[in-house]
Amino acid sequence: MKFIELFAGIGGFRLAFEPVGYQCVYSCEINEACQKVYYHNFGELPDNDITKIFSSNLPDFDVLTAGFP
């Protein structure tokens, strides 16, 4: 199963989903400090501003996760 992570923070959903076999195919996080931690944790830098993302450009996925304040 593939998932995307919006408003990813430091990757909490990814930490939960990947060990049980899900594959993260996209992430987005605007906060620079969180982006740095995310990169440190996963070796990937999330996209920055969700308002500049076109849904047609997202990869195919089965599950959408999203953090909230």
Side-chain angles (χ1 to χ4, degrees):
M1 300 275 292
K2 297 177 181 178
F3 73 99
I4 64 173
E5 192 172 39
L6 305 180
F7 315 106
I10 61 171
F13 283 111
R14 189 168 179 166
L15 289 171
F17 275 67
E18 285 189 333
V20 294
Y22 286 74
Q23 176 190 10
C24 184
V25 294
Y26 178 81
S27 61
C28 181
E29 172 56 52
I30 198 167
N31 182 284
E32 289 182 28
C34 290
Q35 288 176 344
K36 290 176 185 177
V37 174
Y38 196 97
Y39 181 80
H40 176 75
N41 286 343
F42 306 108
E44 298 173 13
L45 192 62
D47 273 347
N48 189 356
D49 188 349
I50 195 156
T51 65
K52 297 178 182 174
I53 298 166
F54 294 99
S55 60
S56 59
N57 292 340
L58 293 174
D60 290 336
F61 62 93
D62 303 296
V63 178
L64 183 150
T65 65
F68 53 90

